[in-house]
Amino acid sequence: MQPDIRGYFGKYGGTFVPETLMPALEELIKAYDEARQDPDFQREVDYYLTNYVGRPSPVYLARALSARLGGAKIYLKREDLNHTGAHKINNTVGQVILARRMGKKRIIAETGAGQHGVATATAAAMFGLKCVVYMGAEDIQRQALNVFRMRLLGTEVVEVSSGSGTLKDAMNEAMRDWVTNVRDTYYVIGSVAGPHPYPMMVRDFQAVIGREARQQMLEQTGALPDCVIACVGGGSNAMGTFYAFLDDPEVKLVGVEAGGKGLSSGQHAATLTAGRPGVLHGSYSYLMQDSHGQVAPVHSVSAGLDYPGVGPEHSHLKDIGRVQYTVATDEEALAAFHLLCRTEGIIPALESSHALAEAIKVAPQMAGHQSILVCLSGRGDKDVHTVAREMGVELV
């Protein structure tokens, strides 16, 4: 669906930003509206997605995993095989090409797990643009490999020590930078969150995942999948995957949030499952709040999922019942991580492992002729230190 002229999906979305940012957002709305109607812009984006990112990413039948579980066959949309190792590059290539079209010389971004930061640094390096990425101190510690990758690419990584030192705080600092340097700076938001037009624009750039997967499933199986599953933090890989199936009511869509140490523990990031609507980072959507309405701290073993908000289109899809949102705990995600490693020789990102955990739960309950499509949103190289620590193994 398209948001209304004010950027609302149903009652969610909008533009809640300081007055100083309104001219920049109005400039971006106009530029993106012109670009998406310009065949030359789309041709340029498609060129880089094909020849630089490596699209289309394959859909792979996980035979051994399916046989181990019984029931439905599990197919993986291999976004982990993209250049830089995650779906994030689809969006950053599109936004950086747009920034260059707008005449911007400086790129900023925020990142949690580091994959969006690496993807932004990569696109900026390719086009010769200066790049600054804000990252929480906690995430810098968890994702040292990705921090080093960004610096190799010529990007300045700014450590954010305020708050919990995670993605929310990094996004706050990126917003402050944008307010200060709005004239020459383009802010590449990494998820379907933030003020209008970001939720729509990021979804449009990520919708290539679902378009490809829909066609690939029809070619491989002769039918659409019975169930499509993706993990949800801010929600960009899920929105990009679900978008092509929204008008297929026979396809069940499931978004999996970070259940952390369990919903009853209070240490999770299950925004749509346990949050309530409010304003965060420029839009009205579900978010985690305490009893005073303040943004509540969140937790996940996955650095990419411990965000207290979610994209407004997901909030709308929850309310109308088109997408079912559920949770996987840290323990369930880690078990799914290990199972995919051992059965398929694929090391998945911990974010993607949450989606896999849901597939592992539901596949045995389904018939053998049915199928599940899981978006494998990223590879797990970046998470091996976290997994090792959870296993009690010290890596040198």
Side-chain angles (χ1 to χ4, degrees):
M1 69 176 293
Q2 296 301 318
D4 68 19
I5 194 170
R6 300 174 304 148
Y8 282 86
F9 300 91
K11 65 179 183 181
Y12 300 103
T15 307
F16 297 85
V17 297
E19 191 175 340
T20 49
L21 278 182
M22 284 309 297
L25 284 170
E26 288 168 357
E27 179 190 18
L28 178 58
I29 291 169
K30 182 173 183 294
Y32 180 59
D33 191 49
E34 291 174 355
R36 66 178 176 162
Q37 298 179 58
D38 182 350
D40 289 340
F41 174 75
Q42 195 56 56
R43 270 194 290 271
E44 185 175 13
V45 173
D46 289 344
Y47 171 82
Y48 284 102
L49 289 181
T50 301
N51 298 291
Y52 188 72
V53 174
R55 304 207 70 88
S57 65
V59 160
Y60 166 73
L61 170 58
R63 295 181 189 276
L65 177 64
S66 301
R68 173 75 70 91
L69 297 172
K73 294 181 178 63
I74 296 176
Y75 291 80
L76 305 175
K77 179 59 173 167
R78 299 291 309 276
E79 292 299 293
D80 59 312
L81 296 181
N82 292 344
H83 178 49
T84 71
H87 71 291
K88 294 292 187 182
I89 191 73
N90 306 322
N91 170 51
T92 59
V93 163
Q95 287 203 54
V96 170
I97 290 174
L98 180 63
R100 194 176 56 150
R101 179 183 170 109
M102 294 171 67
K104 303 296 184 182
K105 305 297 184 188
R106 180 173 178 266
I107 300 295
I108 61 170
E110 86 296 327
T111 194
Q115 290 299 92
H116 173 59
V118 169
T120 304
T122 298
M126 179 174 62
F127 288 112
L129 299 175
K130 183 178 181 182
C131 185
V132 178
V133 171
Y134 290 87
M135 193 167 185
E138 170 72 15
D139 290 336
I140 282 180
Q141 188 174 15
R142 289 194 286 186
Q143 298 294 337
L145 175 61
N146 275 339
V147 173
F148 187 59
R149 291 171 74 193
M150 284 184 268
R151 288 175 173 154
L152 286 175
L153 291 161
T155 283
E156 178 187 357
V157 180
V158 178
E159 179 174 329
V160 178
S161 301
S162 58
S164 57
T166 58
L167 180 58
K168 167 180 70 71
D169 311 293
M171 199 162 182
N172 288 339
E173 288 304 315
M175 283 278 189
R176 291 189 184 98
D177 182 315
W178 198 26
V179 169
T180 306
N181 302 290
V182 68
R183 183 167 296 177
D184 70 340
T185 297
Y186 183 100
Y187 180 14
V188 180
I189 289 181
S191 195
V192 287
H196 178 62
Y198 283 103
M200 173 184 68
M201 181 169 64
V202 176
R203 177 206 65 195
D204 290 350
F205 288 133
Q206 293 292 6
V208 65
I209 303 171
R211 284 197 304 272
E212 287 178 2
R214 194 177 191 282
Q215 180 180 344
Q216 291 164 322
M217 288 299 291
L218 287 170
E219 290 171 353
Q220 290 189 32
T221 71
L224 295 176
D226 296 281
C227 181
V228 176
I229 303 175
C231 65
V232 178
S236 66
N237 93 89
M239 203 63 247
T241 307
F242 294 161
Y243 196 57
F245 298 97
L246 289 179
D247 294 331
D248 301 305
E250 69 275 26
V251 179
K252 182 179 180 181
L253 304 176
V254 182
V256 186
E257 299 188 294
K261 298 180 179 178
L263 295 183
S264 60
S265 72
Q267 296 183 64
H268 58 79
T271 306
L272 288 161
T273 306
R276 54 193 169 92
V279 172
L280 178 67
H281 295 146
S283 69
Y284 181 73
S285 190
Y286 277 83
L287 66 138
M288 297 303 301
Q289 303 175 57
D290 64 19
S291 58
H292 304 288
Q294 299 298 310
V295 177
V298 290
H299 161 81
S300 172
V301 71
S302 167
L305 295 185
D306 60 355
Y307 179 60
V310 69
E313 192 167 5
H314 281 294
S315 295
H316 177 63
L317 292 171
K318 167 189 165 66
D319 280 9
I320 66 174
R322 179 61 188 98
V323 180
Q324 173 189 330
Y325 294 92
T326 185
V327 301
T329 63
D330 290 350
E331 186 177 356
E332 290 168 334
L334 286 163
F337 175 97
H338 288 294
L339 184 58
L340 193 70
C341 290
R342 299 290 177 89
T343 57
E344 297 290 349
I346 297 172
I347 301 175
L350 284 174
E351 291 91 333
S352 315
S353 300
H354 286 71
L356 282 168
E358 177 65 13
I360 289 168
K361 289 178 194 172
V362 301
Q365 303 168 23
M366 297 171 66
H369 67 275
Q370 292 184 297
S371 64
I372 298 171
L373 174 71
V374 177
C375 181
L376 204 68
S377 57
R379 70 187 187 212
D381 310 41
K382 65 185 178 57
D383 293 321
V384 294
H385 282 82
T386 300
V387 174
R389 188 168 59 248
E390 294 290 330
M391 296 171 67
V393 175
E394 184 176 350
L395 299 180
V396 294

